[in-house]
Amino acid sequence: MPIKGVLFDFSGTLFRIESVRSWLAAACAARGVSVDEADFDRYARELEAACALPGGPGPQRVPEALAEDWASRDESAHRHRAAYTGLARQVALPDPGLYDALYERHRTPEAWCPYPDAAEVLGALAGSGVRIGVVSNIGWDLRPVFRAHGLDAFVDAYVLSFEHGIQKPDAQLFHTACTLLGQHPTDVVMVGDDRHADAGAAALGCEVRFVEHAPLAERPYGLRELGLVNEVA
């Protein structure tokens, strides 16, 4: 069957979050906080160890006080903020305002960069008449990130977990996306990097293809190599 629609995950699939050091430096600048190099290095290491950067690796063990918010973090904006600022608060930063500043920084377009082949693949699919959706487990509106990086014009529908109160792998999110695209799930491919969350689309009959959640330089052609463009050309 020809591909009529493609659903894409956001973080780790189409976009990559900045490094912990860049994230911390931007938050410090926003707050007017100056720290010496040794302290900055220590804060960055500790934030990375706490897995406090949204879009980065998740923690292997979640503090008990955060367990409830973490488990449902992508179902609401409040829980998402509470979970990630809670992880960051495990690190004793020099300014208490930095925890919120860090959270706000990760929601900005400047904190994200598209993978090198994202525009090429999205543009080719859209140009061939394929309907495109973004299905993301997230606690905030990512549409401004797509607009700022010039990718919004390729996207026909966004289905964001916090706007629906459910998170992947719940098949309802994928069903909603297929409905918005006007396509039957068996004509739609889901592309993601999480073999648990994104695999939920298979319950509807979608084909699921995976890319590696890797740094930009290590995955320049991961989307292109899925062969989607060749199948609709």
Side-chain angles (χ1 to χ4, degrees):
M1 294 289 291
I3 296 172
K4 297 180 180 179
V6 181
L7 305 176
F8 289 94
D9 174 52
F10 167 58
S11 175
T13 299
L14 290 176
F15 283 83
R16 175 80 178 191
I17 190 65
E18 66 186 333
S19 69
V20 170
R21 293 181 64 85
S22 174
W23 176 54
L24 176 59
C28 286
R31 290 286 300 170
V33 174
S34 179
V35 297
D36 63 36
E37 185 175 352
D39 284 340
F40 182 90
D41 288 345
R42 176 168 55 84
Y43 297 142
R45 288 196 306 270
E46 292 178 357
L47 286 167
E48 188 162 16
C51 298
L53 174 61
Q60 295 298 310
R61 188 186 67 80
V62 178
E64 184 176 350
L66 297 176
E68 184 175 353
D69 282 329
W70 181 259
S72 57
R73 64 193 179 280
D74 295 314
E75 295 178 6
S76 77
H78 171 76
R79 290 177 184 174
H80 193 271
R81 178 184 285 272
Y84 280 105
T85 56
L87 290 176
R89 288 180 191 279
Q90 295 180 95
V91 180
L93 297 176
D95 172 14
L98 278 173
Y99 302 107
D100 283 326
L102 285 167
Y103 188 82
E104 292 305 321
R105 167 64 186 186
H106 104 275
R107 302 199 305 173
T108 65
E110 293 77 17
W112 297 89
C113 188
Y115 278 92
D117 55 351
E120 169 196 337
V121 170
L122 290 177
L125 290 172
S128 297
V130 175
R131 303 276 287 171
I132 295 173
V134 172
V135 184
S136 177
N137 276 353
I138 198 164
W140 49 275
D141 186 3
L142 52 72
R143 295 172 182 87
V145 176
F146 279 76
R147 288 196 293 269
H149 290 280
L151 300 186
D152 180 65
F154 304 128
V155 180
D156 298 295
Y158 295 91
V159 179
L160 312 181
S161 60
F162 83 103
E163 294 181 339
H164 297 268
I166 52 177
Q167 56 192 24
K168 297 184 290 186
D170 193 313
Q172 184 59 44
L173 282 179
F174 305 106
H175 181 270
T176 298
C178 290
T179 299
L180 290 173
L181 296 186
Q183 302 298 334
H184 192 276
T186 56
D187 295 325
V188 175
V189 175
M190 173 65 203
V191 176
D193 67 295
D194 188 321
R195 292 181 179 273
H196 172 66
D198 297 315
L204 298 177
C206 295
E207 181 187 350
V208 184
R209 303 185 190 184
F210 294 101
V211 290
E212 182 182 0
H213 188 146
L216 299 174
E218 295 178 17
R219 209 201 78 192
Y221 308 120
L223 294 166
R224 184 194 300 176
E225 290 169 352
L226 294 177
L228 295 166
V229 174
N230 295 334
E231 294 179 40
V232 299

